[in-house]
Each structure stands twice: as structure tokens, then as C-alpha cells.
Amino acid sequence: MGIPDKAIQEADINRWASGMEEFMEDRETILEIKHLQTSFLTSSGKVKAVRDVSFSLKKGEVLGIVGESGSGKTVTSLSVIRLLAGTGVIEGGEILFDGKDLAKVSMKEMRTIRGDRIAMVFQDPMTSLNPLIPVGKQITEMIEEHNRGMSKAQLKEEALKLLKLVHIPEAEKRFSSYPHEFSGGMRQRVMIAIALACKPDILIADEPTTALDVTIQDQILKLLNQLREEMDMSIIFITHDLGVVAEVCDRVVVMYGGRIMEEGPVEAIFERPSHPYTQGLMASVPDISLDKNVRLVSIPGSPPDMLNPPAGCPFVLRCAYGRNICNAKVPPVTEIGEGHCSYCWLLTPEAPKENNPYK
Amino acid sequence: MTKDDSIMLEVRNLVKHFPVKGKKKEVVHAVEGVSFRVKKGETFGLVGESGCGKSTCARTIIRIYEPTSGQIFLKGEDISHMKEAQLHPFRKNMQMIFQDPYACLNARMTVHDIIAEPLRAHKVCSSRGEIHDRVYDMLEKVGLSREHANRYAHEFSGGQRQRIGVARALILKPELILCDEPISALDVSIQAQVVNMLKDFQDELGLTYLFIAHDLSMVRYVSDNIGVMYLGQMVEICEANEIYAHPLHPYTRDCWRLFRFLRPPRQSRKRRVPLRGIFPAPFIRPPAAASIHAVNARSRSAVNANRP
């Protein structure tokens, strides 16, 4: 419990020195999601938010999930910690963590895992803290929940350590402050402190910097990176900012319409994006040197209606290369490089050569 | 002042203070002496952190807020202290696009009524038929269709709502559009659509934009000139490419350095020096000098003494 000791830190430095890539290969898989399907039952029908999503997370890895709103990235992570709204149901698939299938464990058992082993930082630091409770209390609450029998003094000490860990100046003074007395960046740090309270194995960060300014975003990203190095945590980083992904993630999963479009190591995704959607996303962000007279490449249309998603590839309606088969059948997976997969019909061996950027 | 026809908007020493509740003498210095010029047909980008006063600045220019002092010239006419009745004809010439496409459209009005409201307020159309025609025409221009006219705002996606916001701003054929973070709330793939649309309108109608955003790569792409605001003051104004290549003010330099441009992963993992500190809290009394000194790691005491 508490802050990592010095031995771990030294081991950490050594492992960083020995090269990240080698290190990643022989790491164990900590979380594995297989064919996850999550839906919401609404008055107008079933919203299939996540449809057949599979990926895995290794120890100490930062996995980025990229996609636009409604692509199912947040629902995927909420399924992992079983915090779906009342109408949300996991309809199929497995979430394997520590020998258990989280999709099937009881809520009581889930409570011992959530917060303690898997913690989450939510998108909006303004609304996810309780405005009526001092931040110190909100942190100790979390520690107490998972460590019954700790004395009040011990709890406070732990909470202060956490506040210092996330670089909140004058932690003692701030301990009894209320959330409204903090700025957005500071609140996000408190959120991170709460999430780290029990030294989780996995931290899910859902757009942790979207609501923040560049300068504060920079501080938060550095903090997360430092914590990953010090605590050997695995992080699932949900965002739509590709610039942030390029900097912090080891591997990326690109989601659209509740399905995975492309998955691979971050270098591969950026150097050789192999799905029309990923390419479209990258082209929509103006490059620093882009001539102002050149029009931005935009993806026409808008995301699919998840009440009646297309039977095949969800991106087909906005894709410049869409064909009949894309509309009818879900594309199979094609391996492009090591650990780099794309779900697109254009990449299959049978795909015709005309109007095909990949052949 | 000599009348210069090429200048669309000129702001001189604009100041806006907000009173603090409960404390009679204290004020929040939201905008503290901002001056700039925007030429006809150009886009002026305004960047800065949240709370630096860029939105207040735009809202004061369009006279949603009364300026505390300073002058605002719209095509050479001083509108900063005009009475509402005098100002009315000028309002037709400047319109605003708001940040939040969810909050800025009245949920109880149909799209037709939302877009027609400015026409009615300024009594530009003589008949109902003319209003219909102009609304339908505008809807098609922003990439929506006639069938959308009788729907309500909640039936649209974020990108479509922003198109409705643009249609409402353009219906009076204004020359100056103040865009207050028009794309911040939209998804990446939709942002490009809206930016392209705004650029097309500019080419077609010769519009002048004041473009507020915090996405620096987008601002650089759309703007001719960029102004960087910090704590209510304009710390640097420069040509868009130049400000990126040779930022002069330390704050600007830090901003560009810290912003995550889209670059290949290897390049972007270079070490960055963090900008230290938090900025001077609710700046009721902002630091006398270049306010940046609280944040800037390189500041020297000399900067503290006088405001550049």
C-alpha cells in the first residue's frame, strides 16, 4: 500500500535503460477482452454501442483507444469496470482479468476489484468530484473502502502522500479544501490521486486532458507518464487527440461505430495507417506546414445511427472506397505487420485492384 | 481618426472589468487593454488559455458586454459607447457563432424559426414568402436540406447544429463574423468539414473572421494573423506562419512548444521542459508587469517592473 518503494524505482530505471521494445515482448497480458458486446436498451430500441471488440493489455503498457464520440470507446471501458448505466447490458464476450471473467462476476466481487485493481479517471474533472465533500475526504474514502481497519491518522497520511505524488502544492492545506477551490487541472490531479489511491494494476483514463488547456494538459500527461514508470501500471488512454496518442501510447486501437477498425503499435499506425478511417482522421488535422490554400481533407457525412448500424463495416457510408461487400459483411482481420491489424475489405487478397489505395 | 477602408475592425485599448460580488471595490480584470486591427477579408486568430479573456473580448466587441473603456471601430465607426438604438443597424453587420452547438440553439424553436429570427429582428424581409426563400436558400448553402427546416435542434448531430449556427450568423449577410471556438466541441472528422465550409464562405462572400480557438494547429491553418492573449492582455500579434516559426514572447513560445501537433511518434517523444506553476488565480489584481512572469521559467526580475 502507498507509494512505491525505492527498489521498484531502481528496477524501473534499469528496465527503461534496457530498451522498451524488448521489455514489452515478454510482458504478461494483464487484461484480455474477447468479442465484447454491450448494448443499451432504450425506448426506441436497442443501441448496440460496442459490437464484437477484442484487444489485450500488457503489464506496464499504455494502450490508446481513439475514436469519435459514439464510437464505443467509453462504453468499452465502462464495461470493463462494470459501471454501465442501468439500461446498459453486456450481451456477450469475455473480459479476462486475473483469471476471472469480469463480464460475469457478481457486483459484490466487482466492488473489490473496481478501485483496488482497476481504477478510472473520468473525462470531466468539474463534475466527477462531489462538491459537498472536501477532497481529502474523497481520497480517504477510497482507501478506507479497500483497507478496512486503517486508523484515521494513517488514512490521512496516505492521502497526503497521494496529493504530493500528483504534485499538489501545500498538500496539508489543500487536504480540507472543497473541489470548487481547485482549478480544472488541479481537480484532474485530485481525480488521478483518487484513482491511484489503491495502486491499481490498470488505470483507465477517459479523455483526462480534453477539458484542459495545453499547458495544464502537458503537466497531466507528464504526471501520468511518470506514474506509469514509477508504479509499473498499465494504462488505457481514451482520447480523440491524435497528437497526444503519438506521444504517450505504446499501442493504439482505433474504434468506429462500436467496432475496431485498426490496431497496432503506435509507430506503425502513424507511419502506415492501413484503414480509410484512420487515414481520414489523420488528414483532418492540419499539419504545421500545411499551405493555407489547400483544403482540409474532411470525412464526409456523420457517424452511423447505432440503433440500426450497417450490417457490414460501420464506416462504409463515409468511406471513399466503399463497395457492396463492405455494406453486407463485416470485414475480416488482415495482418499488416507485427501486431498491426486492420479490418478492411480492401486489404483482403481477393480485393480488386482498381480504386484501391492498398494494392 | 483617418478612415481606412481596408480595416474592418479596430480595437483600441479595450478594457472590460467585472465587479466581484460582495466586494464593492474589487473587479475581475477580464480584458486589460487589448488593441488590434483586422483587415477586410482576413481571418484574425485569437488564442490563449481558458480564462485569458478571449471570449470576453469577442463578446465585448459585439456589445453583449458593455466595455469598461477603450474603443471599438467597425469600418471606422466608433461603436464602443453607442446607444442600443444607434447600434441596431451595426449589429446586422456583425454576427457571432458560438462555441457550444448544444446550448446556443433554442430547443423550443424549429430550425426555420432559429434561422429566420435575425431576419425578423431586423425587419429585412417584406413578406413571409421572402423569409422562407432566404431560409431555404441558406439551409442549402450550409449543406442541410429544406426538409430539415421544420425539425428541432435536438434531432441534429453536433456538426449539423454548428451548421445551423453558421446559417443563423450568415442570414443577414454580415461582413464580420466572430467565431467563438466554433469547432472545439466537434469531433475531429467533423471539425474539418466545418472549417472548410467557413473558408468557402469567406472566399465566396469576402467575410472577415475573428476566430477564437485553442487548437493551435487549426488556428494556424485558418488565420492570416494571430493574437496571443494571456491574462487579459495581448502578449503578441503576428503573421500566422511567422508566429509559429519565430515566436517572440516567452508565453507564445511555451504554447507552441507544449501543444501536441500531429507528428510521427518518434519525433514527438522528445523531451519537453514543463511550464511551471499555475497561473495567477482569479486575477483580481493581476501582476503589474507581463503577467506571464508567474509561469515563465525563464523570467527575469527586469520583466516584472514594467509592462511592455
Side-chain angles (χ1 to χ4, degrees), chain A residues 215-249:
Chain A
T215 46
I216 311 296
Q217 165 177 295
D218 183 69
Q219 294 171 357
I220 298 284
L221 291 180
K222 285 226 176 60
L223 174 68
L224 282 176
N225 210 11
Q226 178 202 346
L227 293 171
R228 189 260 295 249
E229 288 177 28
E230 281 173 12
M231 298 175 128
D232 200 16
M233 238 174 356
S234 309
I235 300 179
I236 297 181
F237 201 100
I238 303 174
T239 181
H240 60 247
D241 188 334
L242 292 167
V244 172
V245 168
E247 182 171 317
V248 300
C249 299

Side-chain angles (χ1 to χ4, degrees), chain B residues 120-285:
Chain B
R120 297 202 172 111
H122 287 275
K123 301 190 178 74
V124 255
C125 294
S126 49
S127 69
R128 238 179 233 186
E130 200 188 336
I131 291 183
H132 285 321
D133 289 346
R134 277 183 77 166
V135 169
Y136 291 144
D137 191 41
M138 199 67 234
L139 271 175
E140 271 157 29
K141 271 192 187 153
V142 295
L144 296 169
S145 70
R146 268 166 177 259
E147 290 80 65
H148 291 125
N150 289 320
R151 297 201 198 158
Y152 290 88
H154 69 91
E155 296 172 65
F156 294 90
S157 67
Q160 285 174 318
R161 280 180 220 218
Q162 204 54 291
R163 286 171 191 272
I164 298 170
V166 172
R168 175 177 59 185
L170 288 177
I171 191 91
L172 286 171
K173 300 184 179 142
E175 289 173 90
L176 174 67
I177 308 265
L178 306 172
C179 313
D180 187 1
E181 311 224 18
I183 52 167
S184 308
L186 305 175
D187 276 311
V188 180
S189 71
I190 309 291
Q191 285 184 357
Q193 289 178 8
V194 173
V195 166
N196 279 339
M197 179 176 73
L198 289 173
K199 281 206 135 191
D200 289 346
F201 279 125
Q202 184 167 40
D203 292 343
E204 199 186 312
L205 308 168
L207 298 173
T208 309
Y209 289 132
L210 179 71
F211 194 93
I212 301 178
H214 59 246
D215 179 338
L216 298 184
S217 60
M218 209 49 111
V219 172
R220 191 214 60 90
Y221 172 68
V222 297
S223 313
D224 300 302
N225 289 302
I226 295 181
V228 182
M229 281 186 75
Y230 186 78
L231 285 184
Q233 291 162 22
M234 191 71 86
V235 294
E236 188 166 354
I237 299 179
C238 194
E239 201 270 316
N241 285 321
E242 193 61 18
I243 208 168
Y244 175 66
H246 309 285
L248 291 177
H249 194 280
Y251 177 69
T252 320
R253 211 149 41 200
D254 282 327
C255 270
W256 291 117
R257 196 166 45 81
L258 295 175
F259 185 75
R260 266 113 186 122
F261 284 102
L262 191 58
R263 327 184 162 102
R266 261 176 218 124
Q267 241 178 304
S268 71
R269 294 202 176 188
K270 277 187 294 188
R271 271 233 160 276
R272 294 162 192 266
V273 187
L275 193 61
R276 271 171 222 288
I278 335 137
F279 53 132
F283 43 101
I284 286 172
R285 270 185 218 99

